[in-house]
Amino acid sequence: MPKTKKTRGAKKKSTLLTAKNTHRHALYQSAVQEPEADTRFMEERFCEKFGKSPILLREDFCGTGFLSATWVKEKAHRRAVGYDLDQPTVEWGLENNISPLSAEEKARIELRIADVLEAPLDPVDVVCAMNFSWWIFKDRDQLLNYFRSVRKSLPDEGMFVLDIYGGSEAYIEVEEEHEKELDGEDFYYIWDQDKVCGISDELLCYIHFRFKDGSAMKKAFTYDWRRYGMKESQDLLREAGFDTVEVYWEGSDEDGDGDGEFSLETHAENSEAWIAYLVATP
Ligand SMILES: C[S@@+](CC[C@H](N)C(=O)[O-])C[C@H]1O[C@@H](n2cnc3c(N)ncnc32)[C@H](O)[C@@H]1O
């Protein structure tokens, strides 16, 4: 996905990464996810709105549960439940993200192999849907149905956080490569927005990985999505029953790249590529 981490850790001596000796989920987590930034964002917004810390996070489309694991590790009062349809992905997450947690942390987290549409409507403080996962719903009514179900599981003091990307590059086929690092070893992450339909707004995207030994993991991840526009997404959230929908827009550095800082905005200049958080409250 276009969201990529800027930070690079200190180098430590390790084995050269190759397509054979590493796992696609480890590469994905390292290249794409920055769970500490998401948890900080959710904590800050919730505290601002409700004057208290959020406790229970429902992570929809949780994948390997990296974000949920980070959520419970960071603060002892927090709990998390993640939902993802894909059994092998969740199993990898259980082994690699949940197993290393302490017994006390494990008692505060659960990953469930299930459709987000079947998540029970038990009240939670925060529901999140990150890395544009909600674009899986290609039909407007399906997405509205999902947003409505999230709305039903939020109490008055509850919050739904989702991310969205756009800009002129979201409308065309693009392939971009970034150098990344896993355990001190470099690899290349390739975001391939392979097919973009001008009529249906459908996108077919892949993540590939390339390594210094010349090996590669082609189509390590596939995303068959519909792109939703910024305004229509806000309208859909309101239609689903959210009273307030706010946009937190990413600032840019001197090179014009995203700086990882998100501020509440009502107007923003369009660009080639932007990322924002939508924050919806009942
Ligand atoms: C883009 S990945 C997101 C992974 C991770 N949460 C992140 O933020 O990077 C989308 C995930 O959604 C899952 N998924 C797709 N449709 C789903 C559904 N209806 N219910 C639950 N999970 C679903 C896929 O299995 C995949 O793991």
Side-chain angles (χ1 to χ4, degrees):
M1 22 233 73
K3 203 183 216 176
T4 60
K5 280 203 262 192
K6 282 185 169 293
T7 43
R8 291 162 63 85
K11 284 242 175 204
K12 62 178 181 192
K13 216 172 166 35
S14 52
T15 333
L16 185 70
L17 281 182
T18 70
K20 283 222 166 92
N21 71 8
T22 187
H23 197 282
R24 68 189 183 115
H25 288 307
L27 297 165
Y28 175 91
Q29 288 188 173
S30 206
V32 176
Q33 291 188 277
E34 200 173 357
E36 297 82 2
D38 291 328
T39 58
R40 190 175 60 245
F41 180 83
M42 295 189 281
E43 173 84 25
E44 286 176 2
R45 298 294 79 74
F46 196 92
C47 288
E48 274 167 19
K49 287 178 184 305
F50 307 121
K52 60 181 184 184
S53 236
I55 297 173
L56 180 57
L57 170 71
R58 186 179 109 194
E59 185 190 5
D60 283 353
F61 313 99
C62 68
T64 60
F66 190 29
L67 174 58
S68 290
T70 306
W71 180 262
V72 300
K73 260 194 301 189
E74 284 177 345
K75 290 191 195 277
H77 65 269
R78 287 179 176 168
R79 292 182 291 123
V81 55
Y83 286 87
D84 199 286
L85 270 181
D86 192 62
Q87 183 163 350
T89 300
V90 173
E91 282 171 356
W92 189 93
L94 290 172
E95 198 176 323
N96 293 276
N97 292 328
I98 312 302
S99 284
L101 298 177
S102 70
E104 188 281 323
E105 288 163 344
K106 280 184 194 143
R108 294 186 281 112
I109 185 169
E110 195 185 339
L111 302 187
R112 297 183 185 156
I113 299 163
D115 194 315
V116 295
L117 294 171
E118 277 151 28
L121 303 179
D122 305 345
V124 297
D125 295 315
V126 181
V127 177
C128 71
M130 295 302 187
N131 272 313
F132 329 108
S133 311
W134 52 283
W135 284 2
I136 193 81
F137 297 118
K138 291 188 177 179
D139 186 75
R140 185 188 189 279
D141 284 343
Q142 282 178 332
L143 181 61
L144 189 57
N145 185 30
Y146 167 59
F147 284 174
R148 283 194 171 122
S149 74
V150 173
R151 169 65 190 87
K152 283 194 193 128
S153 60
L154 288 176
D156 287 349
E157 295 193 338
M159 189 173 86
F160 181 31
V161 178
L162 51 167
D163 56 7
I164 178 166
Y165 77 85
S168 53
E169 283 185 358
Y171 290 78
I172 52 169
E173 291 166 15
V174 282
E175 187 168 317
E176 53 184 60
E177 182 172 284
H178 301 269
E179 194 170 356
K180 297 288 172 181
E181 212 178 280
L182 175 63
D183 296 334
E185 280 299 318
D186 296 333
F187 65 98
Y188 298 92
Y189 154 86
I190 298 146
W191 172 250
D192 179 6
Q193 198 166 265
D194 189 54
K195 284 197 177 57
V196 182
C197 179
I199 292 179
S200 65
D201 284 343
E202 284 176 275
L203 307 170
L204 184 63
C205 307
Y206 303 106
I207 290 176
H208 316 291
F209 299 110
R210 191 168 71 72
F211 304 92
K212 295 222 152 150
D213 72 333
S215 62
M217 268 186 217
K218 287 280 218 178
K219 298 187 180 174
F221 294 91
T222 300
Y223 302 101
D224 188 2
W225 283 339
R226 166 175 165 187
R227 182 192 58 249
Y228 284 89
M230 179 52 111
K231 186 66 171 81
E232 75 180 318
S233 304
Q234 295 170 62
D235 289 345
L236 276 158
L237 286 161
R238 289 198 183 89
E239 197 174 328
F242 289 94
D243 191 51
T244 306
V245 180
E246 294 172 333
V247 176
Y248 285 77
W249 192 262
E250 192 181 20
S252 50
D253 61 19
E254 61 278 6
D255 302 323
D257 295 328
D259 63 2
E261 298 297 323
F262 291 81
S263 57
L264 179 61
E265 304 293 346
T266 49
H267 290 89
E269 198 178 322
N270 204 6
S271 60
E272 286 176 357
W274 51 256
I275 288 180
Y277 285 108
L278 290 166
V279 177
T281 47

